[in-house]
Amino acid sequence: MFFTYLRRELRRRRKAALVVASGLALGIALVIVVNSVSSGMGQAQDKVLESLYGLGTDMTVTQAADPEQEGQARGPRFRFDAQDDGSDEEQSSDRVMVQGFQTLAGSTVTQVGSQDGVAHAVGGLSLQVIKVSGQFTRGQFQQGGGRPSAPQGEGRVQGGGADFGVDTYSVFGTDVTEPELGPLTSSKITSGRTFTSSETDAEVAVADASYAQENELAVGDTVTVKDVTYEVIGIATPESGDAAANLYVPLKQAQTLSDSAGQVTTVYVKATDSQQIDAVKSAIQKNVPGTTVTTSADLAGTVSGSLSTASDLATSVGRWLSVVVLAAAFLVAGLLTSSAVSRRVREFGTLKALGWRSGRVTRQVVGEAVVNGLVGGVLGIALGLAGAYAVTAVSPTLRAELGGTGGETAVPGGGFGGGPGRQAASRTLDVALTAPVSVTTIALAVGLAVTGGLVAGAFGGWRASRLRPADALRRVA
């Protein structure tokens, strides 16, 4: 009897039911879209952070470089030998420098790895290579300097000079025995292979895809750094943002190139439990003095640009707007249901006169409202999925600016970046925004649909329970 009457009443009042369901659907759809966009913001930020120091890294340990005292700052020096044979052969010289941070002893990696809550710790060495190459051209002596009346033996040298170019690129020394941590994990090997655990001191390199394309490098080619020839065994394409470095070489090779035997610039740490990251950070700071520990949460605070702005809007304005619209939808649904009950005074009064108790009438009204809520939930989920799909299809590009400005390096492992003019303290990445819809979001939508129906039913049921048979008799013509 309950379902028969329910079906008949919903069919008879299709328009009113559709209005209530549509109001709930809009509120639920907005909640789905906002939650999905917020989730996409979180994923975009995770990609940005992973591009800095690699997948799976919970924190990094570094030591800030000592500021150079006034008068001691010196630029790189290059020296070229004079050619006595009169040839104009090209000459080149590489200056390999540690960049970003002061070096740490290799024992620091072991010390960090022994702390409670640390699952893995691996060291890396960030280098910058400045290559100057070119040639000297011998000038030609001209008798008389071009003047016919000049005395014998008088003249001048014309032509000649020097033509040198400067190329800057980054090299990162990675511990090949621990491939699960470090900046290289944020890139995918798209050609060739990555390092093997046996290549701890091998003269092999993995090149970033953009750098390889710019320099026409392919697997099997060679690159020379400071008179050491490395075979390119793989091409790595970053999965988001810029690559951490232009070239990756085994850690021992990087230490040899920079005369930094047994030294690292960054220790990459993975915690045993993500809930213990703060405790692990405190332990490292206490037991490994003089170091700076930076977690992904700390690094997230340095993210600015349109990604940060959009994230703030989605978190504050978007969610508050969802709450307001949803509350308004619930209120309107309740008022419409209550108004519908007032128009059914004769019907409910007659039913009570026939023996229906107030509880039965109330259950009937609540049942109709819950069905309206479920219909609104279905419509809302459909609209929400369509909105989330539209955001993903458009994939608006957001810009993330990481680190600060000025001379202080704020990004762990920062300064990996690529070519001339790149500042170690700041990086800019472009990230495509998506709006993934999770099962949790769908479950939330269903819960909101049922809640909306119950709220509307509560309004109408309260009104229906107060009706008396006499009210119906007074309305009979």
Side-chain angles (χ1 to χ4, degrees), residues 133-152:
S133 59
Q135 63 183 16
F136 295 100
T137 302
R138 187 181 295 273
Q140 301 296 323
F141 180 80
Q142 288 193 356
Q143 178 70 35
R147 294 181 292 120
S149 59
Q152 183 69 23

Side-chain angles (χ1 to χ4, degrees), residues 26 28-29 48 70 81 86 189 196 205 276-277 333 396 407 438 446 450 475:
L26 290 176
I28 292 170
V48 170
E70 187 177 354
D81 295 329
I189 301 297
T196 63
Q276 298 182 0
I277 290 178
S438 64
V446 174
V450 174
R475 298 200 179 193

